[in-house]
Amino acid sequence: SLMAAGILGFLFFTVTGNDWLSQWLSYGSELSLRADGLEFRIEQWTDSLEMRVEQWIPETVRPFFD
């Protein structure tokens, strides 16, 4: 009976552990996708800001910034 309890405990923790692990992996994937989206928006914003700054620089001075 002690062996049966050990096997049942092992199976219980194995099954619930896999569910727990898959939930964490799913959560991690969602966070990764959100971070990628945030990174893309920040990149767009910095590109837009860079374009605006370039427009303020006079044509005669622009070659020095390349």
Side-chain angles (χ1 to χ4, degrees):
S1 76
L2 185 58
M3 183 183 264
I7 291 173
L8 287 176
F10 172 77
L11 291 175
F12 174 76
F13 286 114
T14 302
V15 170
T16 58
N18 287 339
D19 289 340
W20 179 77
L21 182 61
S22 66
Q23 287 175 352
W24 274 104
L25 289 174
S26 173
Y27 182 67
S29 296
E30 183 180 335
L31 282 180
S32 177
L33 288 174
R34 287 185 182 187
D36 288 343
L38 178 62
E39 182 181 352
F40 179 72
R41 286 192 296 262
I42 290 173
E43 189 174 313
Q44 283 181 325
W45 181 77
T46 56
D47 289 346
S48 172
L49 182 62
E50 185 178 330
M51 252 180 15
R52 289 181 194 162
V53 169
E54 284 178 2
Q55 290 173 354
W56 294 339
I57 300 172
E59 287 286 333
T60 57
V61 181
R62 284 187 192 178
F64 296 106
F65 288 94
D66 285 337

